[in-house]
Amino acid sequence: FHLLDNLRYAVRITRENRNLGRLMVVNVAVGALTSMLQFYTLYWREAGTMTAGSLVLATVVQVFWQSLSSSILGRVADRRGNRIIIYRLLWVEATIPLFALALGGWEPFRGHWLWYLGVYALVGFRFPLFQLLVNYLLEIVPQKDHATALGAVNTVQLLTAPAPVLFGGLARWLGYPAAFVAGAAIGIYGCLTARALEEVRVTDQPKITP
Protein backbone atom coordinates (compact mmCIF):
# COMPACT_ATOMS: atom_id res chain seq x y z
CA PHE A 1 0.00 0.00 0.00
CA HIS A 2 3.08 2.32 0.06
CA LEU A 3 2.02 4.00 3.31
CA LEU A 4 5.01 6.35 3.53
CA ASP A 5 4.58 7.42 -0.09
CA ASN A 6 0.90 8.15 0.52
CA LEU A 7 1.75 10.20 3.62
CA ARG A 8 4.34 12.22 1.72
CA TYR A 9 1.85 12.81 -1.07
CA ALA A 10 -0.80 13.96 1.42
CA VAL A 11 1.66 16.40 2.98
CA ARG A 12 2.60 17.72 -0.46
CA ILE A 13 -0.94 18.40 -1.65
CA THR A 14 -1.70 20.07 1.68
CA ARG A 15 1.28 22.40 1.31
CA GLU A 16 0.33 23.21 -2.26
CA ASN A 17 -3.34 23.86 -1.44
CA ARG A 18 -3.77 26.60 1.14
CA ASN A 19 -7.49 26.01 1.37
CA LEU A 20 -6.90 22.36 2.23
CA GLY A 21 -4.44 23.29 4.98
CA ARG A 22 -6.89 25.78 6.47
CA LEU A 23 -9.69 23.26 6.20
CA MET A 24 -7.67 20.83 8.30
CA VAL A 25 -7.36 23.45 11.04
CA VAL A 26 -11.12 24.05 10.88
CA ASN A 27 -11.78 20.31 11.15
CA VAL A 28 -9.57 20.07 14.22
CA ALA A 29 -11.47 22.94 15.85
CA VAL A 30 -14.82 21.33 15.03
CA GLY A 31 -13.62 17.97 16.33
CA ALA A 32 -12.53 19.52 19.61
CA LEU A 33 -15.84 21.31 20.07
CA THR A 34 -17.81 18.19 19.21
CA SER A 35 -16.15 16.44 22.15
CA MET A 36 -17.77 19.02 24.44
CA LEU A 37 -21.33 17.86 23.72
CA GLN A 38 -21.35 15.45 26.65
CA PHE A 39 -20.33 18.22 29.05
CA TYR A 40 -23.43 20.30 28.27
CA THR A 41 -25.65 17.58 29.72
CA LEU A 42 -23.38 17.12 32.75
CA TYR A 43 -23.41 20.86 33.39
CA TRP A 44 -27.19 20.94 33.12
CA ARG A 45 -27.43 18.04 35.56
CA GLU A 46 -25.18 19.76 38.08
CA ALA A 47 -27.32 22.89 37.80
CA GLY A 48 -30.07 20.77 39.32
CA THR A 49 -32.73 21.37 36.68
CA MET A 50 -32.42 18.26 34.49
CA THR A 51 -34.91 15.44 34.74
CA ALA A 52 -35.42 12.33 32.62
CA GLY A 53 -38.34 14.00 30.86
CA SER A 54 -36.44 17.19 30.14
CA LEU A 55 -33.53 15.22 28.69
CA VAL A 56 -35.87 13.39 26.32
CA LEU A 57 -37.40 16.71 25.27
CA ALA A 58 -33.92 18.14 24.73
CA THR A 59 -33.11 15.25 22.39
CA VAL A 60 -36.33 15.86 20.46
CA VAL A 61 -35.49 19.55 20.13
CA GLN A 62 -31.99 18.74 18.89
CA VAL A 63 -33.23 16.26 16.28
CA PHE A 64 -35.93 18.68 15.09
CA TRP A 65 -33.46 21.51 14.47
CA GLN A 66 -30.99 19.07 12.99
CA SER A 67 -33.54 17.92 10.42
CA LEU A 68 -34.76 21.44 9.69
CA SER A 69 -31.31 22.95 9.17
CA SER A 70 -30.14 20.00 7.08
CA SER A 71 -33.08 20.39 4.71
CA ILE A 72 -32.62 24.14 4.33
CA LEU A 73 -28.92 24.93 4.61
CA GLY A 74 -27.91 22.36 2.00
CA ARG A 75 -29.92 24.21 -0.62
CA VAL A 76 -28.59 27.56 0.53
CA ALA A 77 -25.03 26.23 0.23
CA ASP A 78 -25.77 25.04 -3.31
CA ARG A 79 -26.79 28.57 -4.27
CA ARG A 80 -24.33 30.68 -2.30
CA GLY A 81 -21.40 28.33 -1.80
CA ASN A 82 -20.29 26.05 1.01
CA ARG A 83 -17.70 28.43 2.42
CA ILE A 84 -20.09 31.14 3.60
CA ILE A 85 -22.42 28.64 5.29
CA ILE A 86 -19.46 26.88 6.92
CA TYR A 87 -18.21 30.20 8.26
CA ARG A 88 -21.56 31.13 9.78
CA LEU A 89 -22.21 27.69 11.26
CA LEU A 90 -18.76 27.79 12.82
CA TRP A 91 -19.76 30.91 14.72
CA VAL A 92 -22.81 29.05 15.98
CA GLU A 93 -20.54 26.17 17.02
CA ALA A 94 -18.13 28.52 18.77
CA THR A 95 -20.84 30.26 20.79
CA ILE A 96 -22.65 27.12 21.99
CA PRO A 97 -20.33 26.71 25.04
CA LEU A 98 -21.01 30.32 26.02
CA PHE A 99 -24.76 29.86 25.64
CA ALA A 100 -24.54 26.70 27.76
CA LEU A 101 -22.64 28.63 30.42
CA ALA A 102 -25.18 31.45 30.47
CA LEU A 103 -28.39 29.42 30.21
CA GLY A 104 -27.29 26.84 32.76
CA GLY A 105 -25.63 29.06 35.32
CA TRP A 106 -27.02 32.60 35.26
CA GLU A 107 -30.27 33.95 36.56
CA PRO A 108 -33.02 34.17 35.42
CA PHE A 109 -32.16 31.42 32.88
CA ARG A 110 -31.01 28.96 35.52
CA GLY A 111 -34.37 29.12 37.22
CA HIS A 112 -36.12 26.95 34.64
CA TRP A 113 -34.85 24.10 32.49
CA LEU A 114 -36.79 25.27 29.42
CA TRP A 115 -34.15 27.93 28.75
CA TYR A 116 -31.46 25.29 28.42
CA LEU A 117 -33.26 23.70 25.48
CA GLY A 118 -31.76 26.55 23.45
CA VAL A 119 -28.38 24.85 23.76
CA TYR A 120 -29.70 21.66 22.18
CA ALA A 121 -31.45 23.67 19.47
CA LEU A 122 -28.11 25.24 18.53
CA VAL A 123 -26.39 21.85 18.61
CA GLY A 124 -28.95 20.53 16.16
CA PHE A 125 -28.87 23.64 13.98
CA ARG A 126 -25.15 23.41 13.39
CA PHE A 127 -25.32 19.71 12.43
CA PRO A 128 -24.94 20.21 8.61
CA LEU A 129 -21.49 21.66 9.25
CA PHE A 130 -19.87 18.22 8.99
CA GLN A 131 -21.26 17.45 5.54
CA LEU A 132 -20.54 20.95 4.26
CA LEU A 133 -16.89 20.59 5.27
CA VAL A 134 -16.68 17.41 3.18
CA ASN A 135 -18.45 19.08 0.26
CA TYR A 136 -16.02 22.00 0.37
CA LEU A 137 -13.05 19.65 0.44
CA LEU A 138 -14.31 17.91 -2.69
CA GLU A 139 -14.55 21.31 -4.38
CA ILE A 140 -11.02 22.49 -3.61
CA VAL A 141 -9.19 19.23 -4.34
CA PRO A 142 -8.90 17.59 -7.79
CA GLN A 143 -10.95 14.46 -8.18
CA LYS A 144 -7.90 12.21 -8.35
CA ASP A 145 -6.84 13.40 -4.88
CA HIS A 146 -10.23 13.14 -3.16
CA ALA A 147 -9.47 9.91 -1.31
CA THR A 148 -6.04 11.08 -0.18
CA ALA A 149 -7.35 14.43 1.01
CA LEU A 150 -10.25 12.86 2.92
CA GLY A 151 -7.86 10.43 4.55
CA ALA A 152 -5.50 13.25 5.51
CA VAL A 153 -8.31 15.30 7.06
CA ASN A 154 -9.57 12.32 9.04
CA THR A 155 -6.05 11.54 10.21
CA VAL A 156 -5.48 15.09 11.44
CA GLN A 157 -8.68 14.86 13.46
CA LEU A 158 -6.94 12.26 15.63
CA LEU A 159 -5.29 15.25 17.30
CA THR A 160 -8.62 15.92 19.00
CA ALA A 161 -8.72 12.49 20.68
CA PRO A 162 -7.38 13.85 24.03
CA ALA A 163 -9.82 16.78 23.95
CA PRO A 164 -12.49 15.17 26.19
CA VAL A 165 -9.86 14.38 28.81
CA LEU A 166 -8.45 17.90 28.68
CA PHE A 167 -11.87 19.55 28.90
CA GLY A 168 -12.80 17.19 31.70
CA GLY A 169 -9.65 18.13 33.59
CA LEU A 170 -10.39 21.83 33.19
CA ALA A 171 -13.95 21.32 34.40
CA ARG A 172 -12.75 19.38 37.43
CA TRP A 173 -9.94 21.71 38.47
CA LEU A 174 -11.26 25.13 37.44
CA GLY A 175 -14.95 24.49 36.89
CA TYR A 176 -17.16 24.22 33.82
CA PRO A 177 -16.79 27.92 32.93
CA ALA A 178 -13.07 27.41 32.27
CA ALA A 179 -13.75 24.42 30.01
CA PHE A 180 -16.52 26.21 28.13
CA VAL A 181 -14.48 29.37 27.61
CA ALA A 182 -11.55 27.28 26.34
CA GLY A 183 -13.88 25.52 23.91
CA ALA A 184 -15.27 28.84 22.70
CA ALA A 185 -11.73 30.14 22.14
CA ILE A 186 -10.91 27.11 20.00
CA GLY A 187 -14.11 27.66 18.04
CA ILE A 188 -13.35 31.33 17.44
CA TYR A 189 -9.89 30.41 16.14
CA GLY A 190 -11.60 28.00 13.76
CA CYS A 191 -13.90 30.80 12.62
CA LEU A 192 -10.99 33.12 11.90
CA THR A 193 -9.30 30.35 9.92
CA ALA A 194 -12.49 29.64 7.96
CA ARG A 195 -12.75 33.32 7.11
CA ALA A 196 -9.57 32.99 5.06
CA LEU A 197 -11.00 30.13 2.99
CA GLU A 198 -11.68 30.98 -0.62
CA GLU A 199 -15.05 30.51 -2.26
CA VAL A 200 -13.93 28.46 -5.22
CA ARG A 201 -17.23 28.83 -7.02
CA VAL A 202 -16.41 32.52 -7.40
CA THR A 203 -12.62 32.60 -7.73
CA ASP A 204 -12.46 29.77 -10.26
CA GLN A 205 -14.94 31.29 -12.69
CA PRO A 206 -13.36 32.46 -15.97
CA LYS A 207 -13.19 36.19 -16.43
CA ILE A 208 -15.28 37.46 -19.29
CA THR A 209 -13.85 40.44 -21.11
CA PRO A 210 -16.12 42.62 -23.22
PDB file of all heavy atoms in Angstrom, residues 30 66 184 195:
ATOM      1  N   VAL A  30     -13.485  21.921  14.942  1.00  0.00           N
ATOM      2  CA  VAL A  30     -14.823  21.334  15.031  1.00  0.00           C
ATOM      3  C   VAL A  30     -14.783  20.029  15.816  1.00  0.00           C
ATOM      4  O   VAL A  30     -15.662  19.748  16.646  1.00  0.00           O
ATOM      5  CB  VAL A  30     -15.395  21.102  13.620  1.00  0.00           C
ATOM      6  CG1 VAL A  30     -16.708  20.317  13.696  1.00  0.00           C
ATOM      7  CG2 VAL A  30     -15.627  22.434  12.913  1.00  0.00           C
ATOM      8  N   GLN A  66     -31.939  19.750  13.862  1.00  0.00           N
ATOM      9  CA  GLN A  66     -30.987  19.073  12.986  1.00  0.00           C
ATOM     10  C   GLN A  66     -31.634  18.756  11.637  1.00  0.00           C
ATOM     11  O   GLN A  66     -31.043  19.000  10.577  1.00  0.00           O
ATOM     12  CB  GLN A  66     -30.521  17.793  13.669  1.00  0.00           C
ATOM     13  CG  GLN A  66     -29.627  16.909  12.842  1.00  0.00           C
ATOM     14  CD  GLN A  66     -29.208  15.671  13.619  1.00  0.00           C
ATOM     15  OE1 GLN A  66     -28.899  15.762  14.806  1.00  0.00           O
ATOM     16  NE2 GLN A  66     -29.221  14.526  12.988  1.00  0.00           N
ATOM     17  N   ALA A 184     -14.869  27.702  23.525  1.00  0.00           N
ATOM     18  CA  ALA A 184     -15.273  28.838  22.704  1.00  0.00           C
ATOM     19  C   ALA A 184     -14.068  29.481  22.020  1.00  0.00           C
ATOM     20  O   ALA A 184     -14.142  29.893  20.858  1.00  0.00           O
ATOM     21  CB  ALA A 184     -16.011  29.867  23.552  1.00  0.00           C
ATOM     22  N   ARG A 195     -12.548  32.052   7.817  1.00  0.00           N
ATOM     23  CA  ARG A 195     -12.755  33.317   7.109  1.00  0.00           C
ATOM     24  C   ARG A 195     -11.764  33.484   5.969  1.00  0.00           C
ATOM     25  O   ARG A 195     -12.060  34.148   4.966  1.00  0.00           O
ATOM     26  CB  ARG A 195     -12.611  34.478   8.101  1.00  0.00           C
ATOM     27  CG  ARG A 195     -12.938  35.833   7.515  1.00  0.00           C
ATOM     28  CD  ARG A 195     -12.822  36.920   8.560  1.00  0.00           C
ATOM     29  NE  ARG A 195     -13.201  38.209   8.029  1.00  0.00           N
ATOM     30  CZ  ARG A 195     -13.192  39.347   8.722  1.00  0.00           C
ATOM     31  NH1 ARG A 195     -12.836  39.319  10.010  1.00  0.00           N
ATOM     32  NH2 ARG A 195     -13.550  40.480   8.161  1.00  0.00           N
TER      33      ARG A 195
END
